[in-house]
Amino acid sequence: MNSHDLREIIRNYLSEKPRNTIEISAWIANQIDYANSPSEITKILESDERITRIGTLRKSGMVGSDVPVSEWATNSWVQHHQRKESESIKER
């Protein structure tokens, strides 16, 4: 599977809600026969202009991980939720 198709699959998965790198990696392994590591997934996500890193999770209990465990969302998800947040601030 090429990286373009993989990005599309991940975008669809992230359209529901943000997910972290480990969740995405495990989900992909269950959906398709694709050997991946969180660092490979991170590279794919970083190269996609329609996906945004929205945070970094603490690595409690994780041994030997060089790549931070990040939380990712689609840009449209972020924009939609920022709009809701700004509307609730205006109402105060």
Side-chain angles (χ1 to χ4, degrees):
M1 174 171 286
N2 66 37
S3 61
H4 173 73
D5 293 339
L6 190 55
R7 279 191 202 97
E8 189 66 36
I9 290 169
I10 293 170
R11 268 189 241 115
N12 289 335
Y13 181 55
L14 291 176
S15 66
E16 297 173 25
K17 67 179 187 177
R19 315 273 182 170
N20 71 50
T21 310
I22 304 302
E23 287 176 299
I24 295 167
S25 181
W27 180 81
I28 290 170
N30 287 330
Q31 297 299 310
I32 57 175
D33 187 24
Y34 180 78
N36 64 73
S37 69
S39 61
E40 289 174 13
I41 297 301
T42 298
K43 288 177 186 174
I44 290 169
L45 294 167
E46 286 176 336
S47 68
D48 191 323
E49 59 191 35
R50 292 184 270 176
I51 295 176
T52 301
R53 183 189 321 247
I54 59 172
T56 302
L57 307 175
R58 292 186 179 174
K59 296 190 289 185
S60 177
M62 294 180 64
V63 178
S65 179
D66 295 335
V67 179
V69 176
S70 299
E71 192 162 16
W72 304 89
T74 60
N75 293 344
S76 58
W77 187 93
V78 171
Q79 290 171 349
H80 177 74
H81 286 82
Q82 284 178 336
R83 188 176 322 124
K84 281 185 175 179
E85 183 178 309
S86 65
E87 287 173 1
S88 68
I89 291 171
K90 288 178 186 177
E91 292 173 0
R92 292 181 192 168

